[in-house]
Amino acid sequence: MDRVVCVGSSHRCAPVDILERLSMAPEQQDAFTADLLSLPTISEAMVVSTCNRFEVYAVLAQENDADQMDDDAAMVAAHTDILDVIAQHSAIPVSDVRAVTYTFAGTPAAEHLIRVAAGLESMVVGEQQIIGQVRQAYRGAGAGPVLHSIAQSALRAGKRVHSETEIDDAGASMVSLAFEVAGITSLRGRRVLVLGAGVMASLAATHAGRLEASELVIANRTRSRAEALAEHARQAGVPARVVDFDARAHALDDADVVISATGARSYTIRGEDVAASKTRVGQRTPLFIDLSMPRDIQDSVEDHGATLVNIPRLGEHHHQVSATGEQMAEQIVAEELSQVAGQLRARRISGDIAAVRRRGDAVVAEELSRITARLGLSEQQAEEMHSALRRVADKLLHEPIVQAKRLVEADETVESSDVLQRMFALDER
């Protein structure tokens, strides 16, 4: 666990323009991860990139040289390398990246990922989308055994928090908070234009349907995905139709609310689109909700009388959660962290276990050679004697090995490298 590092930035410490430049689409994350894994200081890596979070989780490479760096020096070298790769991919000077990032090393890095997956670090505490985002990051990661264990614990914690606590009883999400900030409690009689057909856009469409929108109009670059979302809405009893993505500006003319969640690298709606729509239909302007990072909707829409709710504005509001629910969630995080820490400590003892078994094999071979020479055993008798000695050695070693693993798993103050080495004097041979 002491060779795990997290370097990240979020809505808590970085302005929105920096988060926009750090944000990465899945294909960009693949290239970024490949660059991380090409570093001599990194052996495993994964990237969590959401609308208000960018984090790198990495495991330091084990040095093979005789003149090894100590753990502190290795951590500093890896941290510097990670910052350099972030700077290269985001086109942000490394000094600026350093200024807006936080770093967790060792157990705190694992704890942070578990807290993130549990929704405790989200802008909307308890929101559930983050579990899917962490799962996507894990699947696309260069994860080895260490990150695999930590990610699995994080995902398990996220599921447990939402099934065992009351933290999300209100159905909190970025979408529900956006409607709350916009002051919308009902969409009865209102037409809603949804731009995008991904997870966030689908959640927005579902929420609009629950608020009794009179019709959903859906536009997406891949029309088939928009058609699928519209069909899902119709099956739920919500009128829905699809328009071409290139016709989205004209779709503003009869929209009361516009929700954009495309994850595009350029604006889907600009100020001039609103101005042109007002020219066509009069002074009425829709309410705009932008759930993307980088931002989909240009701030200048407000220059034309429109109201805009976006990620930066959501960050100014604090969603209240049940104190009991949050306490229970914190307990789950602590339990999962303790479990994965024990697993990783036990994994570190595996090399010493192999050394003990090799020591046992060597002793068996030595004694077998003496017995064979002294008693003149036949080949068959020697094989039977070898099997008997091996069984004795395995039985003698089994309980000490099991107890050593349990001790290391249960007590973080015990150095895994010391237990079997001292017990069997492994350094003496």
Side-chain angles (χ1 to χ4, degrees), residues 303-346:
D303 296 340
H304 302 282
T307 298
L308 172 63
V309 175
N310 55 20
I311 299 295
R313 189 163 297 175
L314 295 182
E316 299 170 1
H317 292 75
H318 302 284
H319 176 75
Q320 298 297 316
V321 299
S322 160
T324 301
E326 194 162 2
Q327 289 172 0
M328 292 175 65
E330 294 282 6
Q331 180 61 36
I332 290 171
V333 168
E335 291 171 2
E336 293 295 340
L337 178 63
S338 176
Q339 181 174 337
V340 72
Q343 290 172 353
L344 292 177
R345 286 196 298 271

Side-chain angles (χ1 to χ4, degrees), residues 2 53 81 104 146 173 246 265 299 307 313 341 386 404 417:
D2 56 347
R53 180 178 307 281
D81 284 346
F104 298 104
V146 176
S173 67
D246 290 342
R265 309 305 292 187
D299 288 349
T307 298
R313 189 163 297 175
H386 180 259
S417 60

Side-chain angles (χ1 to χ4, degrees), residues 36 46 264 338 357 375 422:
L36 287 174
M46 64 178 278
S338 176
R357 295 193 184 283
L375 300 181
R422 292 184 179 183

Side-chain angles (χ1 to χ4, degrees), residues 368 372-373 375-387:
L368 179 63
T372 301
L375 300 181
L377 299 178
S378 66
E379 182 176 345
Q380 180 178 352
Q381 290 172 326
E383 288 180 359
E384 292 177 357
M385 180 63 71
H386 180 259
S387 296

Side-chain angles (χ1 to χ4, degrees), residues 3 36-37 39-45 58-62 142-144 146:
R3 300 185 71 82
L36 287 174
L37 293 175
L39 297 170
T41 53
I42 301 296
S43 62
E44 303 179 34
V59 177
L60 278 59
Q62 296 283 353
V146 176

Side-chain angles (χ1 to χ4, degrees), residues 184-211:
I184 296 176
T185 57
S186 173
L187 288 171
R188 184 174 297 178
R190 294 183 177 183
R191 180 176 288 109
V192 178
L193 172 62
V194 178
L195 304 180
V199 173
M200 192 67 79
S202 298
L203 288 170
T206 299
H207 199 77
R210 288 174 181 165
L211 294 180

Side-chain angles (χ1 to χ4, degrees), residues 174-176 178-179 182 184 187 191-209 211 213 215-220 229 245 248 251-252 255-263 268-269 286-292 296-297 307-310 314:
M174 292 291 289
V175 174
S176 63
F179 279 98
I184 296 176
L187 288 171
R191 180 176 288 109
V192 178
L193 172 62
V194 178
L195 304 180
V199 173
M200 192 67 79
S202 298
L203 288 170
T206 299
H207 199 77
L211 294 180
E215 184 184 37
L216 298 180
V217 181
I218 301 169
N220 189 58
L229 181 55
F245 193 74
R248 63 189 182 280
L252 297 177
D256 298 294
V257 178
V258 178
I259 305 171
S260 191
T262 69
T268 56
I269 300 293
L287 164 70
F288 290 93
I289 297 177
D290 184 352
L291 298 173
S292 284
D296 271 356
I297 301 176
T307 298
L308 172 63
V309 175
N310 55 20
L314 295 182

